[in-house]
Short mmCIF file of all heavy atoms in Angstrom, two decimals:
data_model
loop_
_atom_site.label_atom_id
_atom_site.label_comp_id
_atom_site.label_asym_id
_atom_site.label_seq_id
_atom_site.Cartn_x
_atom_site.Cartn_y
_atom_site.Cartn_z
N MET A 8 0.84 -1.19 0.00
CA MET A 8 0.00 0.00 0.00
C MET A 8 0.88 1.25 0.00
O MET A 8 1.96 1.25 0.59
CB MET A 8 -0.90 0.02 1.24
CG MET A 8 -1.80 -1.20 1.39
SD MET A 8 -3.09 -1.27 0.15
CE MET A 8 -4.40 -0.36 0.99
N VAL A 9 0.41 2.26 -0.64
CA VAL A 9 1.15 3.52 -0.65
C VAL A 9 0.27 4.60 0.00
O VAL A 9 -0.94 4.64 -0.20
CB VAL A 9 1.56 3.96 -2.08
CG1 VAL A 9 2.58 3.00 -2.65
CG2 VAL A 9 0.36 4.09 -2.98
N GLU A 10 0.91 5.47 0.74
CA GLU A 10 0.19 6.57 1.38
C GLU A 10 0.21 7.78 0.45
O GLU A 10 1.26 8.16 -0.06
CB GLU A 10 0.83 6.91 2.72
CG GLU A 10 0.00 7.88 3.53
CD GLU A 10 0.51 8.05 4.94
OE1 GLU A 10 1.72 7.82 5.15
OE2 GLU A 10 -0.29 8.42 5.81
N HIS A 11 -0.97 8.34 0.24
CA HIS A 11 -1.07 9.51 -0.65
C HIS A 11 -1.70 10.67 0.12
O HIS A 11 -2.72 10.50 0.77
CB HIS A 11 -1.91 9.16 -1.88
CG HIS A 11 -1.98 10.29 -2.86
ND1 HIS A 11 -0.90 10.65 -3.64
CD2 HIS A 11 -2.98 11.13 -3.17
CE1 HIS A 11 -1.25 11.68 -4.39
NE2 HIS A 11 -2.50 11.99 -4.14
N PHE A 12 -1.06 11.84 -0.01
CA PHE A 12 -1.57 13.03 0.67
C PHE A 12 -2.30 13.91 -0.34
O PHE A 12 -1.87 14.08 -1.47
CB PHE A 12 -0.41 13.83 1.29
CG PHE A 12 0.20 13.15 2.47
CD1 PHE A 12 1.22 12.21 2.30
CD2 PHE A 12 -0.27 13.41 3.75
CE1 PHE A 12 1.78 11.56 3.39
CE2 PHE A 12 0.30 12.77 4.85
CZ PHE A 12 1.33 11.84 4.66
N PHE A 13 -3.42 14.47 0.08
CA PHE A 13 -4.19 15.34 -0.81
C PHE A 13 -5.00 16.29 0.05
O PHE A 13 -5.14 16.11 1.26
CB PHE A 13 -5.12 14.51 -1.72
CG PHE A 13 -6.11 13.66 -0.97
CD1 PHE A 13 -7.41 14.10 -0.79
CD2 PHE A 13 -5.73 12.43 -0.44
CE1 PHE A 13 -8.33 13.33 -0.08
CE2 PHE A 13 -6.64 11.65 0.27
CZ PHE A 13 -7.94 12.11 0.44
N GLN A 14 -5.55 17.30 -0.59
CA GLN A 14 -6.36 18.28 0.13
C GLN A 14 -7.83 17.90 0.08
O GLN A 14 -8.37 17.58 -0.98
CB GLN A 14 -6.20 19.66 -0.50
CG GLN A 14 -5.07 20.46 0.12
CD GLN A 14 -5.12 21.88 -0.38
OE1 GLN A 14 -5.54 22.15 -1.49
NE2 GLN A 14 -4.68 22.80 0.44
N CYS A 15 -8.46 17.95 1.22
CA CYS A 15 -9.90 17.72 1.28
C CYS A 15 -10.60 18.84 0.52
O CYS A 15 -10.31 20.01 0.74
CB CYS A 15 -10.34 17.70 2.73
SG CYS A 15 -12.13 17.69 2.93
N PRO A 16 -11.56 18.52 -0.38
CA PRO A 16 -12.29 19.56 -1.12
C PRO A 16 -13.32 20.31 -0.26
O PRO A 16 -13.92 21.27 -0.73
CB PRO A 16 -12.97 18.78 -2.25
CG PRO A 16 -13.14 17.41 -1.70
CD PRO A 16 -11.95 17.17 -0.79
N HIS A 17 -13.54 19.87 0.95
CA HIS A 17 -14.49 20.53 1.84
C HIS A 17 -13.79 21.53 2.76
O HIS A 17 -14.17 22.68 2.85
CB HIS A 17 -15.23 19.50 2.70
CG HIS A 17 -16.00 18.48 1.92
ND1 HIS A 17 -17.23 18.73 1.38
CD2 HIS A 17 -15.68 17.22 1.57
CE1 HIS A 17 -17.65 17.65 0.74
NE2 HIS A 17 -16.73 16.72 0.84
N CYS A 18 -12.76 21.05 3.48
CA CYS A 18 -12.14 21.88 4.50
C CYS A 18 -10.72 22.29 4.12
O CYS A 18 -10.10 23.08 4.82
CB CYS A 18 -12.12 21.15 5.84
SG CYS A 18 -11.09 19.65 5.85
N TRP A 19 -10.18 21.76 3.02
CA TRP A 19 -8.85 22.11 2.50
C TRP A 19 -7.72 21.71 3.43
O TRP A 19 -6.60 22.16 3.29
CB TRP A 19 -8.76 23.59 2.13
CG TRP A 19 -9.78 23.93 1.11
CD1 TRP A 19 -10.92 24.66 1.30
CD2 TRP A 19 -9.81 23.52 -0.27
NE1 TRP A 19 -11.65 24.71 0.14
CE2 TRP A 19 -10.98 24.04 -0.84
CE3 TRP A 19 -8.96 22.75 -1.07
CZ2 TRP A 19 -11.32 23.82 -2.17
CZ3 TRP A 19 -9.29 22.55 -2.39
CH2 TRP A 19 -10.46 23.07 -2.92
N GLU A 20 -8.03 20.85 4.38
CA GLU A 20 -6.95 20.29 5.19
C GLU A 20 -6.25 19.20 4.40
O GLU A 20 -6.87 18.52 3.57
CB GLU A 20 -7.52 19.68 6.48
CG GLU A 20 -8.03 20.69 7.47
CD GLU A 20 -6.92 21.52 8.07
OE1 GLU A 20 -5.80 21.01 8.23
OE2 GLU A 20 -7.19 22.70 8.38
N GLU A 21 -4.97 19.03 4.68
CA GLU A 21 -4.25 17.94 4.02
C GLU A 21 -4.51 16.65 4.79
O GLU A 21 -4.31 16.58 5.99
CB GLU A 21 -2.75 18.22 3.98
CG GLU A 21 -2.05 17.18 3.11
CD GLU A 21 -0.59 17.49 2.89
OE1 GLU A 21 0.19 17.41 3.85
OE2 GLU A 21 -0.23 17.82 1.76
N ILE A 22 -4.99 15.66 4.06
CA ILE A 22 -5.26 14.37 4.67
C ILE A 22 -4.55 13.31 3.84
O ILE A 22 -4.09 13.58 2.73
CB ILE A 22 -6.77 14.07 4.78
CG1 ILE A 22 -7.44 14.19 3.43
CG2 ILE A 22 -7.42 15.00 5.79
CD1 ILE A 22 -8.92 13.88 3.47
N SER A 23 -4.45 12.11 4.37
CA SER A 23 -3.79 11.04 3.63
C SER A 23 -4.66 9.81 3.65
O SER A 23 -5.51 9.63 4.53
CB SER A 23 -2.43 10.72 4.24
OG SER A 23 -2.60 10.06 5.48
N MET A 24 -4.45 8.96 2.65
CA MET A 24 -5.09 7.66 2.68
C MET A 24 -4.16 6.64 2.06
O MET A 24 -3.25 6.98 1.31
CB MET A 24 -6.45 7.69 1.98
CG MET A 24 -6.41 7.80 0.50
SD MET A 24 -8.05 7.59 -0.20
CE MET A 24 -8.44 5.90 0.25
N LEU A 25 -4.42 5.39 2.39
CA LEU A 25 -3.61 4.29 1.86
C LEU A 25 -4.28 3.76 0.59
O LEU A 25 -5.47 3.49 0.57
CB LEU A 25 -3.48 3.17 2.89
CG LEU A 25 -2.63 3.52 4.10
CD1 LEU A 25 -2.75 2.43 5.15
CD2 LEU A 25 -1.17 3.71 3.70
N LEU A 26 -3.46 3.61 -0.46
CA LEU A 26 -3.96 3.13 -1.75
C LEU A 26 -3.25 1.83 -2.11
O LEU A 26 -2.09 1.63 -1.78
CB LEU A 26 -3.67 4.17 -2.83
CG LEU A 26 -4.22 5.57 -2.59
CD1 LEU A 26 -3.67 6.52 -3.63
CD2 LEU A 26 -5.72 5.55 -2.60
N ASP A 27 -3.98 0.98 -2.82
CA ASP A 27 -3.41 -0.28 -3.27
C ASP A 27 -2.90 -0.10 -4.70
O ASP A 27 -3.69 0.04 -5.64
CB ASP A 27 -4.50 -1.35 -3.23
CG ASP A 27 -3.97 -2.73 -3.60
OD1 ASP A 27 -2.81 -2.82 -4.06
OD2 ASP A 27 -4.72 -3.70 -3.44
N PRO A 28 -1.59 -0.09 -4.92
CA PRO A 28 -1.06 0.18 -6.27
C PRO A 28 -1.22 -0.98 -7.24
O PRO A 28 -0.93 -0.83 -8.43
CB PRO A 28 0.43 0.46 -6.01
CG PRO A 28 0.73 -0.25 -4.75
CD PRO A 28 -0.54 -0.27 -3.93
N SER A 29 -1.72 -2.14 -6.78
CA SER A 29 -1.86 -3.27 -7.70
C SER A 29 -3.16 -3.21 -8.49
O SER A 29 -3.37 -4.01 -9.39
CB SER A 29 -1.79 -4.59 -6.92
OG SER A 29 -2.90 -4.70 -6.06
N ILE A 30 -4.03 -2.27 -8.17
CA ILE A 30 -5.31 -2.13 -8.89
C ILE A 30 -5.24 -0.84 -9.70
O ILE A 30 -5.07 0.25 -9.15
CB ILE A 30 -6.49 -2.09 -7.91
CG1 ILE A 30 -6.46 -3.33 -7.00
CG2 ILE A 30 -7.81 -2.00 -8.66
CD1 ILE A 30 -7.41 -3.25 -5.83
N ALA A 31 -5.37 -0.95 -11.04
CA ALA A 31 -5.14 0.20 -11.91
C ALA A 31 -6.19 1.29 -11.73
O ALA A 31 -5.86 2.46 -11.65
CB ALA A 31 -5.08 -0.25 -13.36
N TYR A 32 -7.45 0.89 -11.73
CA TYR A 32 -8.54 1.87 -11.63
C TYR A 32 -9.33 1.60 -10.37
O TYR A 32 -9.82 0.49 -10.18
CB TYR A 32 -9.47 1.77 -12.84
CG TYR A 32 -8.84 2.20 -14.12
CD1 TYR A 32 -8.19 1.29 -14.93
CD2 TYR A 32 -8.88 3.54 -14.53
CE1 TYR A 32 -7.59 1.69 -16.12
CE2 TYR A 32 -8.30 3.95 -15.71
CZ TYR A 32 -7.65 3.01 -16.50
OH TYR A 32 -7.08 3.42 -17.67
N GLN A 33 -9.47 2.60 -9.56
CA GLN A 33 -10.18 2.41 -8.30
C GLN A 33 -11.08 3.60 -8.03
O GLN A 33 -10.82 4.71 -8.50
CB GLN A 33 -9.20 2.30 -7.14
CG GLN A 33 -8.19 1.18 -7.31
CD GLN A 33 -7.06 1.27 -6.32
OE1 GLN A 33 -7.29 1.24 -5.13
NE2 GLN A 33 -5.85 1.40 -6.81
N VAL A 34 -12.13 3.37 -7.29
CA VAL A 34 -12.98 4.44 -6.79
C VAL A 34 -13.16 4.20 -5.30
O VAL A 34 -13.52 3.10 -4.88
CB VAL A 34 -14.36 4.45 -7.48
CG1 VAL A 34 -15.21 5.58 -6.91
CG2 VAL A 34 -14.23 4.58 -8.98
N TYR A 35 -12.87 5.21 -4.55
CA TYR A 35 -13.08 5.12 -3.11
C TYR A 35 -14.04 6.23 -2.69
O TYR A 35 -13.99 7.33 -3.23
CB TYR A 35 -11.79 5.39 -2.32
CG TYR A 35 -10.73 4.33 -2.40
CD1 TYR A 35 -9.61 4.53 -3.19
CD2 TYR A 35 -10.82 3.17 -1.65
CE1 TYR A 35 -8.60 3.57 -3.25
CE2 TYR A 35 -9.82 2.22 -1.70
CZ TYR A 35 -8.72 2.41 -2.51
OH TYR A 35 -7.74 1.49 -2.55
N VAL A 36 -14.87 5.94 -1.72
CA VAL A 36 -15.60 7.00 -1.03
C VAL A 36 -15.14 6.97 0.42
O VAL A 36 -15.28 5.95 1.10
CB VAL A 36 -17.12 6.82 -1.12
CG1 VAL A 36 -17.82 7.92 -0.31
CG2 VAL A 36 -17.57 6.87 -2.57
N GLU A 37 -14.54 8.05 0.84
CA GLU A 37 -13.99 8.14 2.19
C GLU A 37 -14.56 9.38 2.86
O GLU A 37 -14.82 10.39 2.21
CB GLU A 37 -12.47 8.30 2.12
CG GLU A 37 -11.72 7.07 1.67
CD GLU A 37 -11.58 6.03 2.78
OE1 GLU A 37 -11.51 6.42 3.95
OE2 GLU A 37 -11.55 4.83 2.46
N ASP A 38 -14.70 9.29 4.17
CA ASP A 38 -15.04 10.49 4.93
C ASP A 38 -13.75 11.16 5.36
O ASP A 38 -12.83 10.52 5.83
CB ASP A 38 -15.85 10.12 6.17
CG ASP A 38 -17.26 9.66 5.82
OD1 ASP A 38 -17.71 10.00 4.71
OD2 ASP A 38 -17.88 8.97 6.63
N CYS A 39 -13.71 12.47 5.18
CA CYS A 39 -12.54 13.24 5.60
C CYS A 39 -12.34 13.05 7.11
O CYS A 39 -13.29 13.15 7.89
CB CYS A 39 -12.76 14.71 5.27
SG CYS A 39 -11.49 15.78 5.98
N GLU A 40 -11.09 12.80 7.49
CA GLU A 40 -10.84 12.57 8.91
C GLU A 40 -10.86 13.87 9.71
O GLU A 40 -10.90 13.83 10.93
CB GLU A 40 -9.50 11.85 9.10
CG GLU A 40 -8.32 12.61 8.57
CD GLU A 40 -7.09 11.71 8.37
OE1 GLU A 40 -7.26 10.54 7.98
OE2 GLU A 40 -5.99 12.19 8.59
N VAL A 41 -10.86 14.99 9.03
CA VAL A 41 -10.90 16.28 9.72
C VAL A 41 -12.35 16.79 9.83
O VAL A 41 -12.84 17.09 10.91
CB VAL A 41 -10.01 17.32 9.01
CG1 VAL A 41 -10.10 18.68 9.69
CG2 VAL A 41 -8.57 16.82 8.96
N CYS A 42 -13.07 16.89 8.69
CA CYS A 42 -14.41 17.48 8.70
C CYS A 42 -15.52 16.44 8.54
O CYS A 42 -16.70 16.79 8.61
CB CYS A 42 -14.52 18.55 7.62
SG CYS A 42 -14.47 17.88 5.94
N CYS A 43 -15.16 15.18 8.29
CA CYS A 43 -16.12 14.06 8.20
C CYS A 43 -17.07 14.15 7.01
O CYS A 43 -18.07 13.42 6.97
CB CYS A 43 -16.92 13.91 9.49
SG CYS A 43 -15.88 13.57 10.90
N ASN A 44 -16.78 15.01 6.05
CA ASN A 44 -17.60 15.05 4.85
C ASN A 44 -17.12 13.99 3.85
O ASN A 44 -15.94 13.65 3.81
CB ASN A 44 -17.51 16.43 4.21
CG ASN A 44 -18.35 17.44 4.94
OD1 ASN A 44 -19.56 17.27 5.09
ND2 ASN A 44 -17.71 18.49 5.41
N PRO A 45 -18.05 13.48 3.03
CA PRO A 45 -17.66 12.43 2.09
C PRO A 45 -16.87 12.98 0.90
O PRO A 45 -17.19 14.03 0.36
CB PRO A 45 -19.00 11.85 1.63
CG PRO A 45 -19.97 12.96 1.83
CD PRO A 45 -19.49 13.78 2.99
N ILE A 46 -15.88 12.21 0.50
CA ILE A 46 -15.04 12.57 -0.64
C ILE A 46 -14.96 11.34 -1.54
O ILE A 46 -14.75 10.23 -1.06
CB ILE A 46 -13.60 12.92 -0.19
CG1 ILE A 46 -13.60 13.88 0.98
CG2 ILE A 46 -12.79 13.49 -1.35
CD1 ILE A 46 -12.26 13.90 1.70
N GLU A 47 -15.13 11.56 -2.84
CA GLU A 47 -14.94 10.47 -3.78
C GLU A 47 -13.56 10.61 -4.41
O GLU A 47 -13.19 11.69 -4.87
CB GLU A 47 -16.03 10.53 -4.87
CG GLU A 47 -16.24 9.18 -5.54
CD GLU A 47 -17.60 9.12 -6.25
OE1 GLU A 47 -17.83 9.93 -7.15
OE2 GLU A 47 -18.43 8.29 -5.87
N LEU A 48 -12.82 9.51 -4.43
CA LEU A 48 -11.42 9.52 -4.86
C LEU A 48 -11.25 8.59 -6.05
O LEU A 48 -11.77 7.47 -6.05
CB LEU A 48 -10.53 9.03 -3.72
CG LEU A 48 -10.72 9.75 -2.40
CD1 LEU A 48 -10.25 8.88 -1.26
CD2 LEU A 48 -9.97 11.05 -2.42
N TYR A 49 -10.51 9.06 -7.05
CA TYR A 49 -10.23 8.24 -8.23
C TYR A 49 -8.73 8.13 -8.44
O TYR A 49 -8.17 8.84 -9.28
CB TYR A 49 -10.85 8.86 -9.47
CG TYR A 49 -12.36 8.93 -9.45
CD1 TYR A 49 -13.02 10.04 -8.93
CD2 TYR A 49 -13.12 7.88 -9.95
CE1 TYR A 49 -14.40 10.11 -8.92
CE2 TYR A 49 -14.50 7.95 -9.95
CZ TYR A 49 -15.13 9.06 -9.43
OH TYR A 49 -16.49 9.12 -9.41
N PRO A 50 -8.06 7.25 -7.71
CA PRO A 50 -6.64 7.04 -8.00
C PRO A 50 -6.47 6.12 -9.21
O PRO A 50 -7.26 5.19 -9.42
CB PRO A 50 -6.13 6.36 -6.73
CG PRO A 50 -7.32 5.68 -6.15
CD PRO A 50 -8.54 6.46 -6.57
N ARG A 51 -5.46 6.41 -10.01
CA ARG A 51 -5.16 5.54 -11.14
C ARG A 51 -3.69 5.17 -11.11
O ARG A 51 -2.82 6.05 -11.01
CB ARG A 51 -5.49 6.26 -12.45
CG ARG A 51 -5.66 5.28 -13.57
CD ARG A 51 -5.68 5.90 -14.93
NE ARG A 51 -4.97 4.98 -15.82
CZ ARG A 51 -4.47 5.31 -16.99
NH1 ARG A 51 -4.57 6.53 -17.43
NH2 ARG A 51 -3.84 4.42 -17.71
N PHE A 52 -3.42 3.88 -11.21
CA PHE A 52 -2.04 3.39 -11.16
C PHE A 52 -1.65 2.79 -12.49
O PHE A 52 -2.47 2.21 -13.20
CB PHE A 52 -1.90 2.31 -10.06
CG PHE A 52 -1.91 2.87 -8.68
CD1 PHE A 52 -3.09 2.96 -7.96
CD2 PHE A 52 -0.73 3.31 -8.10
CE1 PHE A 52 -3.09 3.48 -6.67
CE2 PHE A 52 -0.72 3.82 -6.81
CZ PHE A 52 -1.91 3.91 -6.10
N ASP A 53 -0.36 2.94 -12.81
CA ASP A 53 0.22 2.29 -13.97
C ASP A 53 1.57 1.74 -13.53
O ASP A 53 2.43 2.49 -13.10
CB ASP A 53 0.38 3.31 -15.11
CG ASP A 53 0.80 2.64 -16.40
OD1 ASP A 53 0.67 1.42 -16.52
OD2 ASP A 53 1.27 3.37 -17.30
N ASN A 54 1.74 0.42 -13.62
CA ASN A 54 2.98 -0.22 -13.15
C ASN A 54 3.32 0.17 -11.71
O ASN A 54 4.46 0.51 -11.40
CB ASN A 54 4.16 0.12 -14.06
CG ASN A 54 4.06 -0.60 -15.39
OD1 ASN A 54 3.59 -1.73 -15.46
ND2 ASN A 54 4.48 0.07 -16.45
N ASN A 55 2.31 0.14 -10.88
CA ASN A 55 2.46 0.45 -9.46
C ASN A 55 2.82 1.91 -9.17
O ASN A 55 3.18 2.26 -8.06
CB ASN A 55 3.47 -0.47 -8.77
CG ASN A 55 2.95 -1.89 -8.64
OD1 ASN A 55 1.75 -2.13 -8.77
ND2 ASN A 55 3.84 -2.81 -8.38
N GLU A 56 2.75 2.76 -10.20
CA GLU A 56 3.00 4.19 -10.01
C GLU A 56 1.67 4.93 -10.07
O GLU A 56 0.87 4.69 -10.98
CB GLU A 56 3.92 4.73 -11.11
CG GLU A 56 5.30 4.13 -11.13
CD GLU A 56 6.26 4.88 -10.24
OE1 GLU A 56 5.95 6.05 -9.92
OE2 GLU A 56 7.27 4.28 -9.86
N LEU A 57 1.48 5.85 -9.16
CA LEU A 57 0.28 6.67 -9.19
C LEU A 57 0.40 7.68 -10.32
O LEU A 57 1.30 8.52 -10.32
CB LEU A 57 0.12 7.39 -7.85
CG LEU A 57 -1.17 8.18 -7.66
CD1 LEU A 57 -2.39 7.26 -7.65
CD2 LEU A 57 -1.11 8.99 -6.38
N VAL A 58 -0.45 7.58 -11.34
CA VAL A 58 -0.34 8.46 -12.50
C VAL A 58 -1.42 9.54 -12.51
O VAL A 58 -1.28 10.55 -13.19
CB VAL A 58 -0.37 7.67 -13.83
CG1 VAL A 58 0.90 6.84 -13.97
CG2 VAL A 58 -1.60 6.79 -13.94
N SER A 59 -2.52 9.32 -11.79
CA SER A 59 -3.47 10.41 -11.66
C SER A 59 -4.28 10.21 -10.39
O SER A 59 -4.45 9.09 -9.91
CB SER A 59 -4.37 10.53 -12.90
OG SER A 59 -5.58 9.86 -12.72
N PHE A 60 -4.73 11.32 -9.83
CA PHE A 60 -5.49 11.24 -8.59
C PHE A 60 -6.51 12.36 -8.60
O PHE A 60 -6.17 13.53 -8.55
CB PHE A 60 -4.55 11.38 -7.39
CG PHE A 60 -5.22 11.10 -6.08
CD1 PHE A 60 -5.31 9.81 -5.59
CD2 PHE A 60 -5.76 12.14 -5.33
CE1 PHE A 60 -5.93 9.55 -4.37
CE2 PHE A 60 -6.40 11.88 -4.11
CZ PHE A 60 -6.46 10.59 -3.64
N GLU A 61 -7.77 11.98 -8.76
CA GLU A 61 -8.83 12.99 -8.78
C GLU A 61 -9.67 12.88 -7.53
O GLU A 61 -9.91 11.80 -7.00
CB GLU A 61 -9.72 12.78 -10.01
CG GLU A 61 -9.03 13.19 -11.29
CD GLU A 61 -9.96 13.07 -12.47
OE1 GLU A 61 -11.10 13.56 -12.37
OE2 GLU A 61 -9.55 12.47 -13.47
N VAL A 62 -10.11 14.03 -7.07
CA VAL A 62 -10.92 14.12 -5.87
C VAL A 62 -12.21 14.83 -6.21
O VAL A 62 -12.21 15.88 -6.84
CB VAL A 62 -10.17 14.91 -4.77
CG1 VAL A 62 -11.03 15.03 -3.52
CG2 VAL A 62 -8.86 14.23 -4.43
N LEU A 63 -13.34 14.23 -5.85
CA LEU A 63 -14.64 14.85 -6.09
C LEU A 63 -15.32 15.16 -4.78
O LEU A 63 -15.34 14.33 -3.87
CB LEU A 63 -15.54 13.88 -6.86
CG LEU A 63 -15.59 13.99 -8.37
CD1 LEU A 63 -16.69 13.05 -8.87
CD2 LEU A 63 -15.88 15.40 -8.81
N ASN A 64 -15.87 16.33 -4.71
CA ASN A 64 -16.67 16.74 -3.56
C ASN A 64 -18.09 16.21 -3.77
O ASN A 64 -18.79 16.65 -4.66
CB ASN A 64 -16.65 18.27 -3.49
CG ASN A 64 -17.47 18.79 -2.35
OD1 ASN A 64 -18.30 18.09 -1.79
ND2 ASN A 64 -17.26 20.04 -2.02
N LEU A 65 -18.51 15.26 -2.95
CA LEU A 65 -19.82 14.62 -3.16
C LEU A 65 -20.99 15.53 -2.84
O LEU A 65 -22.12 15.20 -3.18
CB LEU A 65 -19.91 13.34 -2.33
CG LEU A 65 -19.13 12.15 -2.86
CD1 LEU A 65 -19.39 10.92 -2.00
CD2 LEU A 65 -19.50 11.83 -4.29
N ASP A 66 -20.75 16.64 -2.20
CA ASP A 66 -21.85 17.55 -1.89
C ASP A 66 -22.23 18.45 -3.03
O ASP A 66 -23.26 19.10 -3.00
CB ASP A 66 -21.48 18.43 -0.68
CG ASP A 66 -21.69 17.68 0.62
OD1 ASP A 66 -22.26 16.58 0.58
OD2 ASP A 66 -21.26 18.19 1.67
N GLN A 67 -21.41 18.50 -4.07
CA GLN A 67 -21.67 19.42 -5.17
C GLN A 67 -22.65 18.85 -6.17
O GLN A 67 -22.67 17.65 -6.35
CB GLN A 67 -20.37 19.80 -5.87
CG GLN A 67 -19.58 20.79 -5.05
CD GLN A 67 -18.25 21.14 -5.73
OE1 GLN A 67 -17.84 20.49 -6.69
NE2 GLN A 67 -17.57 22.13 -5.20
ZN1 ZN B 128 -12.31 17.81 5.25
#
């Protein structure tokens, strides 16, 4: 697993989550550990390297 840091789209705090680099396309829904709002995450891996990471604010 790799730890990835990103900004919460709700509170703009930097948070981290653990990602599995063996799965190329993933969708996660996580609650921000700071403000507890839901965030949808789209990490994309290629050869175990994180090549893109999109964050969606589920409240929008
Ligand atoms: Zn937050």
Side-chain angles (χ1 to χ4, degrees):
M8 302 291 270
V9 293
E10 189 171 25
H11 183 72
F12 289 87
F13 59 98
Q14 270 190 328
C15 171
H17 301 280
C18 65
W19 302 107
E20 289 292 328
E21 189 173 69
I22 55 179
S23 72
M24 72 172 296
L25 291 171
L26 304 171
D27 184 351
S29 66
I30 305 169
Y32 293 91
Q33 303 167 60
V34 180
Y35 289 104
V36 177
E37 289 282 329
D38 289 339
C39 171
E40 60 198 36
V41 178
C42 68
C43 299
N44 283 303
I46 312 162
E47 203 161 60
L48 307 157
Y49 296 91
R51 199 193 143 199
F52 286 93
D53 188 16
N54 287 325
N55 290 343
E56 296 271 341
L57 186 65
V58 292
S59 96
F60 189 86
E61 287 184 48
V62 178
L63 266 187
N64 179 343
L65 285 184
D66 279 351
Q67 284 178 348

